[in-house]
Amino acid sequence: MQLDLFASLLDEEPTPPSAPTPQPPRREAPVPRPDTRRTASTPTPLLHATPHPMPAGGVANPSERAFSLGEAVANSWHKNHGGTRIEIPIGIVASLALIGQKDKDGPDLKSQILAQDDRELVEMYQQLWCAHWMHRPDLVERARILHEWANEDKHTRHELYMVRVITKTALDKGLFDLTGHADPYLRSQADVLSPTLTLMRSTGAMQGLGEFHTPPPVTDMMAWSTLADLSADIGDGGKALEPGQSILDPAAGTGGMIRSAAQNIRRRGLDPADFEWAMVDIDPIAAACAAVNAMVWGLGPRVTVACDDSLANRNAVEDAWQQARAAFEHRDRMLGQAKMIAAVRQTQQLLEQAVGAAA
């Protein structure tokens, strides 16, 4: 069963083997953190780029909607005794966040998805990740913890039931209203994975990990302050905000600070895909969410996500870039083998047809 949700991916050719792999961000990358020396009396710096009109069509209070969605998913999981595998509900929300409808006047995706039986629903998630692996094997590999459950040989009846429950909950709470837009600015108005991850974990688990996600209004302010400072440095011989620069968050969580920076860049009439992005987090699920968000938010081809301790390993980003390069090379080998097998089968069919015609 092919749903309309795959149309935008299946219409595209996978990135060819000769395409450049992600480049490691430069060490001099500006880290999106506020300048603590700024005081209330400091004049507001002028922005370098001309403000760009943003598209209409977003939802009101997107961060509140995202929190409400995460709360509903967590409540549904625990109420129905989902168990300790929180990567399943988080992975379902992540999977659905990757879905976008190519034709806004096309069939209703929510109805299409929920019309499938339980096993078809799991297969849909498998196919979705396979389709994205063709284009971004590095990010899909980093997000493995969020989707490897779908590829397991067997699922219990209760697991299949929970997959349906969480899928319906996320869709009923309007996930597509937040992430289903064609325009990346509208898709990036909220981080739907941060509250889902936060609310799925107990308070004790969060404290044990030392994991505290910065609220969206704070990340917006911090990103604006940092990027505005960069633009203001022009008059002092500093470097203007311009494509090709690197932006790094060494304690990224699910990428909230990066989302705010990307949205700020868009508002200046620039494209985040023209910049280099790097995110590091020690928590595997948070790093996986950051990788998914990089695709949802349209950060472009030059994104590196590391699951590492940035304090203990100064080369965390470079190490992650090497892993990303290996993922692209593995994909290219798999595609090459698949094309060779297809060519052999086609040749066999032609020979059989020729033999049949001669007989």
Side-chain angles (χ1 to χ4, degrees), residues 28-348:
E28 64 270 23
V31 178
R33 292 288 184 266
D35 184 353
T36 55
R37 297 169 298 176
R38 184 173 299 282
T39 65
S41 60
T42 304
T44 302
L46 297 176
L47 301 183
H48 170 55
T50 303
H52 184 70
M54 291 297 105
V59 300
N61 303 316
S63 296
E64 292 180 12
R65 290 281 298 273
F67 183 87
S68 177
L69 186 149
E71 190 174 43
V73 167
N75 288 340
S76 292
W77 180 260
H78 295 306
K79 178 181 178 181
N80 290 280
H81 309 288
T84 59
R85 298 187 65 185
I86 64 171
E87 68 273 13
I88 295 179
I90 299 171
I92 290 172
V93 175
S95 303
L96 294 173
L98 289 169
I99 296 174
Q101 187 161 6
K102 185 176 182 181
D103 182 4
K104 65 178 181 180
D105 299 320
D108 180 57
L109 291 183
K110 176 181 174 181
S111 299
Q112 280 190 305
I113 291 171
L114 295 179
Q116 301 175 103
D117 64 34
D118 292 346
R119 301 219 173 260
E120 287 176 337
L121 197 55
V122 173
E123 289 175 2
M124 180 200 75
Y125 288 125
Q126 293 173 346
Q127 294 168 15
L128 177 67
W129 286 100
C130 284
H132 280 280
W133 176 82
M134 298 283 283
H135 296 270
R136 289 308 302 263
D138 56 327
L139 296 179
V140 170
E141 178 61 30
R142 179 62 67 208
R144 174 180 290 273
I145 194 172
L146 298 181
H147 57 81
E148 60 184 350
W149 58 268
N151 293 316
E152 293 174 355
D153 294 334
K154 294 182 179 180
H155 297 88
T156 67
R157 182 177 301 178
H158 186 64
E159 285 175 339
L160 293 174
Y161 169 74
M162 290 307 305
V163 169
R164 176 167 296 279
V165 167
I166 298 303
T167 300
K168 187 176 186 305
T169 299
L171 294 178
D172 285 345
K173 292 300 292 184
L175 176 60
F176 286 164
D177 293 337
L178 293 167
T179 61
H181 302 279
D183 191 289
Y185 180 83
L186 297 178
R187 286 201 309 272
S188 307
Q189 291 186 102
D191 178 357
V192 298
L193 295 177
S194 176
T196 303
L197 170 58
T198 301
L199 294 166
M200 285 300 308
R201 278 187 170 146
S202 66
T203 302
M206 296 293 290
Q207 291 176 344
L209 289 167
E211 187 172 36
F212 301 95
H213 293 223
T214 309
V218 178
T219 63
D220 290 343
M221 179 274 294
M222 296 168 75
W224 184 91
S225 175
T226 300
L227 296 181
D229 284 350
L230 181 60
S231 298
D233 286 341
I234 303 172
D236 299 327
K239 192 172 184 179
L241 179 66
E242 59 186 18
Q245 291 176 335
S246 302
I247 298 177
L248 162 71
D249 190 343
T254 60
M257 194 78 67
I258 294 296
R259 182 200 67 82
S260 295
Q263 291 294 77
N264 192 289
I265 285 173
R266 288 188 175 105
R267 284 192 287 270
R268 300 177 187 215
L270 301 173
D271 186 353
D274 294 330
F275 290 75
E276 295 178 358
W277 304 90
M279 293 180 274
V280 185
D281 201 89
I282 196 171
D283 174 18
I285 297 183
C289 289
V292 173
N293 279 332
M295 293 185 278
V296 174
W297 298 337
L299 297 184
R302 292 175 289 276
V303 181
T304 305
V305 181
C307 181
D308 208 332
D309 184 347
S310 57
L311 295 177
N313 182 11
R314 293 185 57 200
N315 297 319
V317 174
E318 286 79 2
D319 291 347
W321 176 75
Q322 293 295 340
Q323 295 167 7
R325 186 185 184 93
F328 273 93
E329 292 173 350
H330 173 68
R331 180 209 60 182
D332 294 342
R333 287 195 300 271
M334 294 298 100
L335 291 181
Q337 292 174 10
K339 290 179 180 179
M340 183 177 296
I341 293 172
V344 170
R345 288 179 177 174
Q346 184 178 17
T347 301
Q348 288 176 337

